[in-house]
Amino acid sequence: MPSSDAHAAAYVFLHSPLLGPSSWRAVARELAGRGATVAVPDLRPAVSRERHATAWIDLATRAVDDVANHAPVADRANVVLVAHSGAGRLVMGAAGSSAVTAVVLVDAGLPGEATHAEGAPASFRDHLAALVATTDGVTLPPWPDWWPDDLLASVLPDPHDRAALAADAPRVVTAFFDEPIPDGARRAPAHVGVAYLCFTYEREAEEAERRGWPVERFDGGHLHQMVEPRAVASSIARLAAASA
């Protein structure tokens, strides 16, 4: 029987457009070990070209449909989408299925933001401009290469985790941050509950509370789901149950 904190559901873990599936595998394994149905689709093919948002939503929607059609019968009508970082601005585009009951945003941008750059501090835009200046003008370096090694190590201490993150991080197009988010991803469908798990995105967590969503917080870095997967899995299950 599933653990009581696994929440009887099928979980679809949607990685940031700047990262790959490795960012969610440890949490997915943890919930699978508790009896939950899990899926970690590879969404990286969407971000290597312009109009990435539409392609990302299409891939995520196919993953939701696959889970809804093939999960154990008890889980098919209770699909939880779990979105990290930039995936939070896109996830509602894949939440239209009647099988989706909840979305858990994990240190994520919020639905309703017009682009991935909306609300970003000037320091980040300056950092991004410096990165673009070092490129061929077509794609950005993989996200782990944006930061000094010691900074990334402070967020993700295990060298094996850092290697896995670097190995599957895609190169996104330079226009990524200014591409408009499709209108269909700007708001949650009426039948979907939303919750927020905060590691570092306090501004977004406060807005989630203002919107009346369940919120939990960890004292950790932006990739804390890779650092403490057991506790993060439990938090996601609680939030899914509270919002569904």
Side-chain angles (χ1 to χ4, degrees):
M1 294 292 290
S3 169
S4 61
D5 67 350
H7 183 49
Y11 294 86
V12 180
F13 291 92
L14 303 175
H15 61 77
S16 163
L18 301 179
L19 299 175
S22 66
S23 58
W24 271 130
R25 285 191 181 124
V27 171
R29 283 196 300 268
E30 179 65 32
L31 284 174
R34 303 181 195 185
T37 299
V38 301
V40 189
D42 185 354
L43 307 173
R44 291 173 296 176
V47 300
S48 60
R49 58 182 185 267
E50 294 185 7
R51 295 184 58 81
H52 83 276
T54 300
W56 190 98
I57 289 168
D58 286 346
L59 286 178
T61 299
R62 287 180 214 166
V64 172
D65 290 343
D66 187 60
V67 166
N69 289 331
H70 297 103
V73 173
D75 295 344
R76 290 182 188 178
N78 193 10
V79 176
V80 177
L81 306 186
V82 187
H84 178 237
S85 196
R89 301 183 186 93
L90 301 171
V91 62
M92 297 309 174
S97 168
S98 60
V100 176
T101 56
V103 169
V104 180
L105 303 170
V106 180
D107 224 37
L110 295 176
E113 295 177 348
T115 69
H116 287 292
E118 183 172 316
S123 59
F124 176 79
R125 297 306 300 260
D126 291 344
H127 183 61
L128 187 61
L131 284 171
V132 171
T134 69
T135 72
D136 57 8
V138 178
T139 58
L140 292 168
W143 185 85
D145 293 346
W146 294 13
W147 317 106
D149 290 344
D150 58 345
L151 179 59
L152 190 59
S154 70
V155 174
L156 197 58
D158 188 300
H160 299 291
D161 287 342
R162 293 198 302 276
L165 192 78
D168 70 0
R171 298 176 67 97
V172 303
V173 294
T174 54
F176 173 86
F177 286 93
D178 293 315
E179 181 183 326
I181 303 297
D183 288 344
R186 300 282 185 89
R187 63 193 62 83
H191 67 280
V192 173
V194 186
Y196 200 93
L197 178 56
C198 177
F199 305 147
T200 64
Y201 282 23
E202 185 58 33
R203 178 184 71 87
E204 288 81 358
E206 290 176 357
E207 174 60 20
E209 288 175 324
R210 190 192 69 77
R211 297 184 188 186
W213 299 343
V215 174
E216 292 192 15
R217 290 173 170 84
F218 278 83
D219 183 12
H222 187 53
L223 298 167
H224 197 65
Q225 75 271 28
M226 298 180 72
V227 176
E228 201 175 1
R230 179 177 297 179
V232 170
S234 293
S235 182
I236 288 169
R238 286 193 302 270
L239 288 168
S243 61

